[in-house]
C-alpha cells in the first residue's frame, strides 16, 4: 500500500465507521469489540467516532469516552508508519530491557508514547509480551522479536518496513 | 518414507526465527529432492532450545536446537534426517533430562502435536474428558475436581470445585463460563503457550465446566499483546464445533455449549476477575466490590464460573488417564497436582517446567534453569509476577506450594519466576512496583490510586537521602495502608515486592549520591 493510500485510510469517514460499528453491534457487551473494529479500520479511534458509537450503542458520549480513555491500546491520534513496542516489565528489565529502552528513545529522539523526530515511528511501552524466556522483547510492526540488543534494534529499524507476519 | 519434521510455531520460537528456519528446511529438502512433511507444533517450553527442530524416526522424535537459519544447510549436509552426529543434536526428545524430569499433565500435548489438528488431539487423549463428563451428573463432575484437589492457577489458589458448586447450585436462567486469558504478569507465558499449542484443551475444559454448572455460554478473554494466541484460538473454534467439542450437541449428546473470543485492550487490571467481567460487559475495567461473588452474580449479573486458563485446561486431563485420584496424589499438603512454572529473565535455560507442587525453587532455578544467563551471581528472584515478593538467594530452598510460600511472605501467583543477577538495583525494582501500580490502577479505590503515586515519591526521597528514617517509616505505613485498604490484589499486593526488597536488600535503598 502506498503512503497516500495509507494516509487516506486513516482519515475519519462516517460511512466506514458505521460499517465497523454495525459488524459488532449484535454482540453482548459490544463496546470493546466496536472500539477494536474502529481502530482496525482507521489505525486509531478518532474522537469524531465517539458520538456515532454512543448513538448506535445507546450509550452516553461520556460512557464511550470513559472506556476509550481507560484502555492503553486505543490510539487517540493517527499512527505513524511504523510501530515499536518495547517491553518494560521485570523479566526484560533483568536482561537489559531498560538499556534497550533508553537506546530506543535516544535513537528515535522521543519519549515513550511519542513519535520519532522524523515522524516515522511510534514508540510505545508494553508491559509483558509473554516472551520472558527470550528477553528483552520487542514488537516491531506487529512482529514479536526476542533477545534484542541495541545493535539489533538499530539493524531492525534500518530495514524497510516489513508487513507484520500473519500468525500461521 | 516421508520424514516428518516438527518445528514450533509458538510465539517465542517465532520471535527467535522459527518461521525462517521452517521455510529453509522446506526449501532445502525440495532442492535436494528429499520428501519431508513439516508439522508446525506448539512449543515444548524449552525456550533455550528454540527454534527446536525435531525429526521423527520410527515413531521416536529426535531434537536439534537451537537451530538458526545459518545451521539449516549444514544439517542437511550432515544428513540429520538419518541422525548423523551433529553439534546441535539433542538425542531422543523423550530422554532429554530437562523434559524427562518434568511431570507433564496440563502440557502433555503442548509442543507435541499440531495445535489445530483435531485428529492428533484425539489420538493424544483429547475428547476423553468431555466424553466421561457427559456420562456423569453435575455433582459427580464437581466431586472429581474436588478429589483432584484442583485450585485456581491464576494466583489466588481458590478451590475450583467450591467455586463450581456455588454456580451449580445458584438457580438462574443463564449461567456463564469465563476463561481468564489476560495473562499480564511479567514472567508468565503458560496461558499463551497453551492457547498456541493446545487450544482444544482450553475449549474442552470450558465445555466440561459448562456441563458441571449448567452453563451453555462461554467467553475467553485474551490479552491483546498475544496476537498469535488470538489467531490460534480463533482458528480452533470452528474446528471444535465441527468436531463436537462445542455446539448444540456436544459429542452427539443433547448437551449444549458454545463460546466466543474477546480481546483485551492493554489494561493489566483486567486480569482481576471482576474488572475482567466489567470489561467484557463493555465498561472501564474497574474492580467490583465483593460480595456478591461472580459465582452468584457475575457476567451480566448471572452466576459465572471465572477461572484462569490453566485451571480450565487441566480439567480434561484430570478426568482422563489415571483420573482425578492420580492427579490428586501428586503434590504436597493442600497443593495437589502439578504447576506449570515459567522461568524467565536472567536465566540460562528459560522456559516452562511442569512439576508437582513441592519442588524447591532451587531445583527449578539451578537444575532446570542452569543459573543466570549472564553467569554473574544471582541476586534476587521475583516470584509470582509484578505483585510478587523479591527473594534473596538464601530463600531458594522453599518448596513451591501455596502454603509453603505464604509462610515466608511470598506467593506463587501464576507461577512466574524472574531471575535477576547482581547488577540489579532492588531500590529501582521497588520503585517500579509502585510506578506500575500507579500506571495500571483502575482508580476505584484510594489506597491504590493515590498510594502508588505517593509510594514512588517516598522511595525517590529515601534514595535521595532525604529524612531517610522518617521516610522509611512512612513507606512501611503506606504499604500497610495499601495492603489493608485496597479493593483488589493490585493495590493489595503491590506492597509485597516493595517490602520484600526493603527487607532483603536494604543496602539498595541507601543514598548513593557521591559514591563511586
Amino acid at each position: 500500500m502506498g503512503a497516500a493510500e495509507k494516509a487516506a485510510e486513516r482519515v475519519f469517514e462516517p460511512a466506514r465507521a458505521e460499517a465497523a460499528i454495525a459488524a459488532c453491534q449484535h454482540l453482548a457487551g459490544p463496546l470493546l469489540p466496536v472500539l477494536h473494529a474502529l481502530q482496525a479500520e482507521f489505525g486509531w479511534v478518532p474522537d469524531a467516532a465517539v458520538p456515532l458509537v454512543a448513538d448506535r450503542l445507546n450509550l452516553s458520549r461520556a460512557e464511550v469516552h470513559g472506556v476509550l480513555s481507560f484502555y492503553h491500546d486505543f490510539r487517540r491520534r493517527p499512527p505513524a508508519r511504523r510501530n515499536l513496542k518495547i517491553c518494560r516489565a521485570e523479566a526484560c528489565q533483568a536482561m537489559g530491557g531498560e538499556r534497550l529502552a533508553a537506546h530506543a528513545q535516544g535513537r528515535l529522539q522521543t519519549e515513550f508514547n511519542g513519535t520519532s523526530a522524523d515522524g516515522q515511528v511510534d514508540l510505545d511501552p508494553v508491559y509483558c509480551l509473554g516472551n520472558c524466556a527470550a528477553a528483552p522483547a520487542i514488537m516491531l510492526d506487529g512482529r514479536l522479536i526476542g533477545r534484542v540488543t541495541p545493535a539489533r534494534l538499530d539493524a531492525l529499524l534500518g530495514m524497510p518496513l516489513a508487513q507484520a507476519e500473519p500468525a500461521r | 518414507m516421508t520424514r516428518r519434521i516438527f518445528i514450533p510455531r509458538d510465539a517465542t520460537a517465532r520471535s527467535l526465527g522459527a518461521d525462517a528456519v521452517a521455510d529453509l528446511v522446506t526449501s532445502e529438502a525440495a532442492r535436494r529432492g528429499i520428501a519431508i512433511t513439516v508439522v508446525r507444533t506448539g512449543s515444548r517450553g524449552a525456550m533455550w532450545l528454540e527454534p527446536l527442530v525435531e525429526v521423527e524416526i520410527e515413531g521416536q522424535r529426535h531434537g536439534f536446537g537451537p537451530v538458526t537459519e545459518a545451521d539449516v544447510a549444514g544439517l542437511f549436509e550432515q544428513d540429520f534426517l538419518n541422525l548423523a552426529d551433529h553439534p546441535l543434536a539433542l538425542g531422543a526428545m523423550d530422554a532429554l533430562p530437562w523434559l524427562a524430569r518434568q511431570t507433564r499433565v496440563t502440557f502433555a500435548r503442548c509442543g507435541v502435536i499440531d495445535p489445530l489438528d483435531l485428529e492428533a488431539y484425539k489420538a493424544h487423549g483429547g475428547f476423553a474428558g468431555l466424553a466421561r463428563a457427559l456420562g456423569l451428573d453435575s455433582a459427580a463432575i464437581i466431586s472429581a475436581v474436588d478429589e483432584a484437589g484442583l485450585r485456581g492457577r491464576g494466583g489466588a489458589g481458590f478451590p475450583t470445585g467450591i467455586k463450581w458448586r456455588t454456580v451449580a447450585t445458584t438457580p438462574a436462567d443463564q449461567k456463564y463460563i469465563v476463561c481468564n486469558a489476560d495473562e499480564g504478569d511479567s514472567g508468565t507465558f503458560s496461558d499463551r503457550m497453551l492457547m498456541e499449542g493446545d487450544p482444544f484443551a482450553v475449549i474442552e475444559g470450558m465445555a466440561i465446566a459448562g456441563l458441571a454448572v449448567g452453563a451453555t455460554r462461554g467467553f475467553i478473554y485474551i490479552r491483546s499483546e498475544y496476537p498469535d494466541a488470538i489467531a490460534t484460538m480463533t482458528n480452533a473454534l470452528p474446528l471444535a464445533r465441527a468436531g463436537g467439542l462445542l455446539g448444540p450437541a456436544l459429542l452427539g449428546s443433547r448437551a449444549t455449549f458454545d463460546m466466543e473470543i474477546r480481546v483485551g485492550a492493554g489494561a493489566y487490571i483486567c486480569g482481576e476477575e471482576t474488572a475482567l467481567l466489567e470489561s467484557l460487559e463493555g465498561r472501564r475495567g474497574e474492580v467490583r466490590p465483593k460480595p456478591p461473588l461472580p459465582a452468584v452474580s457475575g457476567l451480566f449479573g448471572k452466576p459465572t464460573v471465572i477461572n484462569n486458563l490453566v485451571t480450565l485446561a487441566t480439567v480434561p486431563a484430570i478426568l482422563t488417564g489415571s483420573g482425578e485420584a492420580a492427579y490428586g496424589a501428586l503434590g504436597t499438603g493442600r497443593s495437589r497436582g502439578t504447576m506449570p512454572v515459567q522461568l524467565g529473565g536472567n536465566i540460562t535455560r528459560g522456559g516452562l517446567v511442569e512439576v508437582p507442587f513441592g519442588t524447591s525453587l532451587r531445583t527449578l532455578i539451578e537444575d532446570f534453569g542452569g543459573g543466570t544467563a549472564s553467569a554473574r551471581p544471582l541476586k534476587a528472584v521475583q516470584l509470582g509476577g509484578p505483585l510478587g515478593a523479591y527473594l534473596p538467594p538464601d530463600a531458594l530452598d522453599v518448596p513451591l506450594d501455596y502454603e509453603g510460600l505464604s509462610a515466608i511472605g511470598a506467593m506463587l501467583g501464576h507461577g512466574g519466576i524472574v531471575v535477576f543477577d547482581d547488577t540489579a538495583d532492588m531500590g529501582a525494582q521497588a520503585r517500579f512496583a509502585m510506578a506500575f501500580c500507579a500506571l495500571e490502577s483502575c482508580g476505584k479505590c484510594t489506597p491504590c490510586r493515590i498510594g502508588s503515586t505517593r509510594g514512588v515519591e517516598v522511595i525517590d526521597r529515601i534514595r535521595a537521602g532525604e529524612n531517610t528514617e522518617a521516610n522509611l517509616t512512612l513507606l512501611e505505613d503506606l504499604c500497610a495502608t495499601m495492603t489493608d485498604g485496597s479493593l483488589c490484589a493490585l493495590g493489595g499486593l503491590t506492597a509485597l515486592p516493595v517490602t520484600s526488597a526493603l527487607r532483603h536488600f536494604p543496602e539498595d535503598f541507601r543514598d548513593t549520591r557521591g559514591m563511586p
Side-chain angles (χ1 to χ4, degrees):
Chain A
M1 188 180 301
E5 280 173 75
K6 201 84 189 166
E9 188 186 278
R10 285 167 186 163
V11 176
F12 177 72
E13 289 172 36
R16 283 163 60 211
E18 290 276 10
I21 295 166
C24 312
Q25 210 171 344
H26 65 284
L27 295 171
L31 187 48
L32 256 71
V34 161
L35 295 175
H36 275 304
L38 287 167
Q39 181 143 307
E41 180 63 31
F42 297 106
W44 59 301
V45 185
D47 282 343
V50 170
L52 207 57
V53 173
D55 182 67
R56 295 299 180 271
L57 300 188
N58 197 24
L59 297 169
S60 72
R61 287 186 208 184
E63 283 171 304
V64 177
H65 175 82
V67 171
L68 180 59
S69 56
F70 181 85
Y71 294 95
H72 301 305
D73 275 3
F74 297 126
R75 287 192 174 276
R76 310 291 304 283
R77 58 190 179 88
R81 205 169 59 91
R82 306 194 69 171
N83 181 273
L84 173 61
K85 290 182 168 59
I86 298 187
C87 177
R88 307 200 63 189
E90 290 89 341
C92 287
Q93 291 168 8
M95 286 300 279
E98 285 308 284
R99 204 166 57 241
L100 183 69
H103 176 81
Q105 291 179 86
R107 179 184 158 111
L108 299 174
Q109 293 173 273
T110 178
E111 299 290 309
F112 275 90
N113 297 308
T115 306
S116 60
D118 65 3
Q120 295 295 304
V121 187
D122 283 328
L123 178 62
D124 295 337
V126 62
Y127 293 89
C128 198
L129 292 161
N131 209 25
C132 320
I138 66 168
M139 193 173 266
L140 180 61
D141 304 325
R143 188 160 78 101
L144 180 66
I145 305 167
R147 295 194 197 121
V148 180
T149 58
R152 177 100 192 281
L153 180 63
D154 285 347
L156 287 163
L157 286 170
M159 289 178 194
L161 173 66
Q163 284 296 324
E165 285 186 43
R168 300 191 182 191
Chain B
M1 201 186 119
T2 304
R3 283 254 187 276
R4 289 206 296 170
I5 313 283
F6 297 83
I7 304 175
R9 43 179 252 170
D10 169 273
T12 291
R14 294 182 75 218
S15 86
L16 299 171
D19 287 349
V21 168
D23 290 347
L24 258 185
V25 166
T26 306
S27 60
E28 271 293 322
R31 198 170 67 79
R32 292 163 189 264
I34 305 170
I36 60 162
T37 307
V38 173
V39 180
R40 300 299 298 271
T41 62
S43 172
R44 292 190 188 252
M47 302 311 185
W48 53 289
L49 291 175
E50 297 290 4
L52 172 66
V53 174
E54 296 176 35
V55 181
E56 186 181 53
I57 296 173
E58 289 163 6
Q60 174 85 267
R61 281 160 68 166
H62 302 263
F64 296 84
V67 176
T68 64
E69 285 176 78
D71 298 318
V72 173
L75 281 165
F76 277 93
E77 278 311 315
Q78 295 197 29
D79 198 20
F80 81 118
L81 294 177
N82 289 306
L83 297 187
D85 213 18
H86 190 279
L88 296 179
L90 302 163
M93 290 306 293
D94 291 342
L96 192 73
W98 200 86
L99 287 171
R101 288 189 61 192
Q102 300 187 31
T103 305
R104 290 265 172 143
V105 179
T106 310
F107 281 76
R109 278 179 298 264
C110 198
V112 176
I113 63 168
D114 172 348
L116 294 173
D117 181 346
L118 209 51
E119 286 308 311
Y121 179 67
K122 194 178 265 177
H124 285 82
F127 287 89
L130 181 58
R132 182 174 163 212
L134 282 165
L136 301 175
D137 63 13
S138 159
I141 301 173
I142 297 173
S143 295
V145 171
D146 281 339
E147 191 179 343
L150 185 62
R151 294 168 69 176
R153 300 291 188 249
F158 189 81
T160 305
I162 294 178
K163 191 183 273 191
W164 287 19
R165 192 168 288 111
T166 308
V167 177
T169 55
T170 304
D173 56 349
Q174 178 71 55
K175 299 176 187 179
Y176 295 104
I177 307 297
V178 174
C179 175
N180 185 344
D182 195 48
E183 184 175 51
D185 287 358
S186 172
T188 66
F189 42 87
S190 55
D191 297 354
R192 179 185 66 66
M193 278 183 59
L194 273 181
M195 286 188 279
E196 293 172 6
D198 199 11
F200 297 130
V202 179
I203 295 168
E204 189 177 343
M206 289 179 69
I208 294 170
L211 287 177
V213 305
T216 55
R217 287 190 68 191
F219 290 86
I220 177 169
Y221 186 97
I222 311 175
R223 63 199 299 259
S224 62
E225 292 85 347
Y226 286 176
D228 284 25
I230 293 165
T232 305
M233 287 303 308
T234 302
N235 291 330
L237 288 194
L239 297 171
R241 285 188 193 108
L245 275 184
L246 289 176
L250 298 179
L251 300 185
S253 71
R254 294 172 61 191
T256 295
F257 184 78
D258 215 323
M259 58 181 283
E260 54 188 280
I261 295 169
R262 289 298 168 85
V263 177
Y268 176 75
I269 191 61
C270 290
E272 196 284 332
E273 60 181 12
T274 62
L276 189 155
L277 295 175
E278 285 290 300
S279 185
L280 269 180
E281 291 184 21
R283 286 193 286 274
R284 295 160 67 91
E286 288 180 358
V287 173
R288 296 177 183 171
K290 289 190 269 193
L293 295 169
V296 175
S297 175
L299 187 62
F300 303 113
K302 303 295 183 184
T304 302
V305 166
I306 176 164
N307 275 139
N308 169 255
L309 183 141
V310 171
T311 314
L312 288 164
T314 301
V315 169
I318 284 174
L319 292 181
T320 56
S322 342
E324 56 275 12
Y327 187 82
L330 296 167
T332 174
R334 289 174 50 219
S335 304
R336 313 309 314 177
T338 60
M339 183 72 199
V341 174
Q342 300 119 90
L343 301 173
N346 197 329
I347 190 149
T348 304
R349 294 193 290 267
L352 182 132
V353 176
E354 184 174 353
V355 286
F357 281 101
T359 307
S360 80
L361 266 182
R362 192 177 302 283
T363 299
L364 289 161
I365 293 168
E366 294 179 359
D367 295 357
F368 283 98
T372 60
S374 59
R376 300 182 63 98
L378 183 152
K379 177 167 180 175
V381 170
Q382 188 177 29
L383 187 59
L387 309 176
Y390 283 106
L391 300 176
D394 62 17
L396 299 189
D397 291 311
V398 64
L400 202 84
D401 67 74
Y402 295 107
E403 283 71 31
L405 289 170
S406 141
I408 63 159
M411 54 158 215
L412 179 57
H414 188 44
I417 295 178
V418 175
V419 175
F420 292 79
D421 73 10
D422 63 347
T423 60
D425 173 351
M426 303 314 293
Q429 295 306 128
R431 183 188 193 278
F432 174 77
M434 284 289 189
F436 183 70
C437 180
L439 184 69
E440 297 296 338
S441 175
C442 80
K444 182 98 170 181
C445 70
T446 317
C448 172
R449 183 182 70 244
I450 310 277
S452 50
T453 297
R454 293 289 96 89
V456 171
E457 294 164 359
V458 175
I459 293 173
D460 281 345
R461 275 187 233 121
I462 292 167
R463 283 161 60 84
E466 286 176 35
N467 299 325
T468 309
E469 286 313 310
N471 276 314
L472 280 171
T473 307
L474 192 60
L475 181 60
E476 296 277 5
D477 193 41
L478 178 65
C479 283
T481 303
M482 289 175 71
T483 303
D484 298 337
S486 297
L487 260 182
C488 82
L490 178 53
L493 290 175
T494 289
L496 201 50
V498 177
T499 53
S500 58
L502 205 50
R503 183 175 335 118
H504 299 300
F505 310 95
E507 65 281 5
D508 282 7
F509 288 80
R510 278 190 320 219
D511 176 12
T512 50
R513 287 168 308 164
M515 286 172 64

